[in-house]
Amino acid sequence: MYYSLAHPQTPHPSRIMTVTGSGKIVAQASYVQLQIEVTTQGKNVQQAQQENASTMNRVLQSILALTIPRENIQTTAYTIAPIYDYVEGKQVFTGYEVTNAITVKVPDTNLVGSVIDTAVENGANRISSIQFKIDHADVYYQQALSLALHNAQMKANTIAQTMHLSLQPQPLEIVEENESGPVLYKSMAMADSSLTTPIEQGQTTISAVVRVTFQY
């Protein structure tokens, strides 16, 4: 009896490569967001609150006088906390501390130094945050994302050409990596009191990163 032995064909194993692509878009800030605080202390809570309210009202009026719209100013925190001192190793109550924090959106980035100086001159004793932000940031992000995809494709093509591989043009998988938002934090540079506080905004970079898998 004759038996024909057929050798089954082994399929070619799928081979893949994964590359990371990145893209960046540089833009100027559209506006600046400041957090301005007034902190006061007093023997009793009413005294600290009254002094704080008086000072904060003065700060608010001075900012409004700089043509900052009232809707651009928002209270973000208001705290009352007891104050203790240590005398001979014992905790002794000495009064209360009241802090009122407001967030101010400054549409004109060139006006930031004047807003800071004016607030401080009228009683603000802390500038806790300066953020340069961009309107319609998602539009810039989409551009950065497109650049990231092109960058990944170029990397894959370079690898394939160098290694003499037959790369499939359509990717098997595209994963968008998480990126931090397009916000630039800058600390203020204090100068001579006769001059406006200089604030350098620099440039804001919007980044996108993708991980792309190709078959070859």
Side-chain angles (χ1 to χ4, degrees), residues 26-34 106-113 116 130-135 140 182-189 197-206:
V26 176
Q28 294 293 331
S30 305
Y31 64 95
V32 179
Q33 188 168 288
L34 304 174
V106 185
D108 184 356
T109 58
N110 295 317
L111 196 60
V112 178
I116 291 173
I130 302 178
Q131 301 178 24
F132 290 85
K133 296 193 172 185
I134 300 176
D135 286 325
Y140 293 98
V183 179
L184 177 65
Y185 295 86
K186 302 286 287 186
S187 59
M188 65 178 182
T197 297
I199 302 295
E200 298 297 332
Q201 64 169 298
Q203 294 178 319
T204 302
T205 301
I206 298 92

Side-chain angles (χ1 to χ4, degrees), residues 26 33 67 79 104 133 146 163 165 170 180 184 190:
V26 176
Q33 188 168 288
T67 69
T79 60
V104 181
K133 296 193 172 185
S146 179
M163 302 301 295
L165 305 175
Q170 296 299 323
S180 58
L184 177 65
M190 301 304 295

Side-chain angles (χ1 to χ4, degrees), residues 15-208:
R15 299 179 298 180
I16 61 172
M17 72 167 71
T18 300
V19 294
T20 300
S22 60
K24 294 181 180 180
I25 295 291
V26 176
Q28 294 293 331
S30 305
Y31 64 95
V32 179
Q33 188 168 288
L34 304 174
Q35 181 158 308
I36 299 172
E37 300 181 12
V38 172
T39 298
T40 54
Q41 297 181 348
K43 293 289 186 181
N44 58 67
V45 68
Q46 291 82 7
Q47 177 189 351
Q49 282 184 299
Q50 289 173 4
E51 182 182 346
N52 191 284
S54 176
T55 303
M56 180 55 83
N57 282 329
R58 192 164 62 247
V59 170
L60 288 171
Q61 293 305 315
S62 69
I63 293 174
L64 291 170
L66 294 175
T67 69
I68 301 296
R70 184 175 290 274
E71 57 267 25
N72 285 16
I73 304 174
Q74 181 180 26
T75 299
T76 52
Y78 188 87
T79 60
I80 300 174
I83 305 172
Y84 295 94
D85 201 357
Y86 285 89
V87 179
E88 297 180 353
K90 294 183 179 181
Q91 193 178 53
V92 178
F93 172 78
T94 59
Y96 289 92
E97 180 177 270
V98 176
T99 299
N100 191 349
I102 59 172
T103 297
V104 181
K105 178 181 178 180
V106 185
D108 184 356
T109 58
N110 295 317
L111 196 60
V112 178
S114 296
V115 172
I116 291 173
D117 290 342
T118 299
V120 171
E121 288 168 5
N122 284 275
N125 45 23
R126 188 179 183 194
I127 310 297
S128 56
S129 175
I130 302 178
Q131 301 178 24
F132 290 85
K133 296 193 172 185
I134 300 176
D135 286 325
H136 311 297
D138 190 59
V139 174
Y140 293 98
Y141 178 75
Q142 299 303 325
Q143 297 175 18
L145 186 59
S146 179
L147 291 176
L149 290 167
H150 284 296
N151 181 246
Q153 182 74 64
M154 289 176 59
K155 285 183 176 180
N157 289 337
T158 298
I159 294 172
Q161 291 170 10
T162 303
M163 302 301 295
H164 305 290
L165 305 175
S166 179
L167 185 71
Q168 298 298 316
Q170 296 299 323
L172 293 176
E173 183 182 59
I174 301 174
V175 178
E176 181 183 9
E177 301 284 359
N178 290 329
E179 280 289 305
S180 58
V183 179
L184 177 65
Y185 295 86
K186 302 286 287 186
S187 59
M188 65 178 182
M190 301 304 295
D192 187 277
S193 59
S194 62
L195 303 174
T196 300
T197 297
I199 302 295
E200 298 297 332
Q201 64 169 298
Q203 294 178 319
T204 302
T205 301
I206 298 92
S207 301

